[in-house]
Amino acid sequence: MSERRLETQWPIEVEIARSKGIYVIEDDAYGCLMEVPLPTISSLVPELTIRFTSLSKSLGPGLRIGYVESLSSLTSQISEAIRAPTWMASPLAAEVGSQLILSGRAEKLVVDNRVELGQRNQALIDELKGFNLVTKAFSPHAWLLLPAPWTASQFCAWTESVEFKVSASDAFNINRPRKRPCLFLEMVE
């Protein structure tokens, strides 16, 4: 959620959640990658928020384990909901993740990942100079706005014909169509 939305829309959304008696689900998988993180929703309204985060996004894809922050009164319900489709997290991933966090090495890995993502973003910006690219310094993703007359689906089909895969923005847009066709790019090695 952007800082602007947090300041303008969030108070309205909190009131709606309060009045309807519903919880807000906060997906904070990438939050720690920001050099100056925005306040989490759970830090603003902990009584209304169930916050999820993930080590696979912040530390490394091999650590496929996430963490949940919520009111203690919700622990058993959340545990049951998670256990139904997955049964349990990998004990090895849980132990490695816990040891990284407790030893302080997780913080160093996050800093190293920020540096790496910053370098990848800069390389992408340099390679696509002259194109309309939207990204943030420590984001593992970018949006490439396509020039006319391209549509996202046409461009995706063309890139597949030259054995390169990209995704159209439509696959990542739930609420509203984008004003311009664009592509979703992911920074991978």
Side-chain angles (χ1 to χ4, degrees):
M1 180 178 299
S2 70
E3 193 166 6
R4 189 178 132 264
R5 181 171 175 208
L6 205 64
E7 292 171 356
T8 59
Q9 284 184 280
W10 186 239
I12 297 165
E13 293 169 2
V14 166
E15 282 313 307
I16 292 169
R18 274 201 179 104
S19 70
K20 300 290 183 187
I22 58 175
Y23 292 101
V24 175
I25 306 294
E26 179 177 16
D27 178 358
D28 194 29
Y30 294 105
C32 70
L33 291 176
M34 296 177 71
E35 196 166 29
V36 180
L38 294 173
T40 62
I41 298 167
S42 63
S43 71
L44 301 173
V45 283
E47 72 281 5
L48 289 177
T49 310
I50 300 169
R51 178 178 166 248
F52 291 87
T53 189
S54 168
L55 295 186
S56 66
K57 306 297 188 214
S58 56
L59 300 182
L63 286 172
R64 296 185 55 99
I65 187 163
Y67 294 87
V68 180
E69 175 186 42
S70 71
L71 295 174
S72 58
S73 61
L74 297 174
T75 302
S76 67
Q77 288 175 288
I78 292 170
S79 295
E80 288 174 23
I82 291 171
R83 196 174 301 118
T86 60
W87 186 242
M88 64 184 262
S90 158
L92 181 59
E95 182 63 22
V96 170
S98 295
Q99 290 300 320
L100 286 170
I101 292 167
L102 293 171
S103 70
R105 288 201 24 86
E107 289 180 44
K108 182 182 180 336
L109 285 170
V110 167
V111 170
D112 291 347
N113 285 343
R114 281 186 199 133
V115 170
E116 174 74 20
L117 287 169
Q119 292 169 345
R120 289 182 188 188
N121 264 287
Q122 192 56 56
L124 184 67
I125 290 166
D126 293 344
E127 286 297 318
L128 296 176
K129 194 174 276 313
F131 287 92
N132 198 342
L133 189 67
V134 179
T135 189
K136 297 210 184 300
F138 304 104
S139 174
H141 309 107
W143 295 99
L144 175 62
L145 302 175
L146 295 173
W150 287 102
T151 66
S153 59
Q154 288 170 332
F155 194 85
C156 287
W158 174 78
T159 61
E160 283 185 26
S161 75
V162 294
E163 298 181 11
F164 185 74
K165 182 107 172 98
V166 297
S167 299
S169 60
D170 312 10
F172 303 92
N173 239 352
I174 297 170
N175 296 346
R176 57 193 184 278
R178 289 201 164 270
K179 293 177 184 162
R180 273 181 70 179
C182 61
L183 302 176
F184 178 77
L185 307 175
E186 189 165 7
M187 317 293 173
V188 294
E189 289 185 63

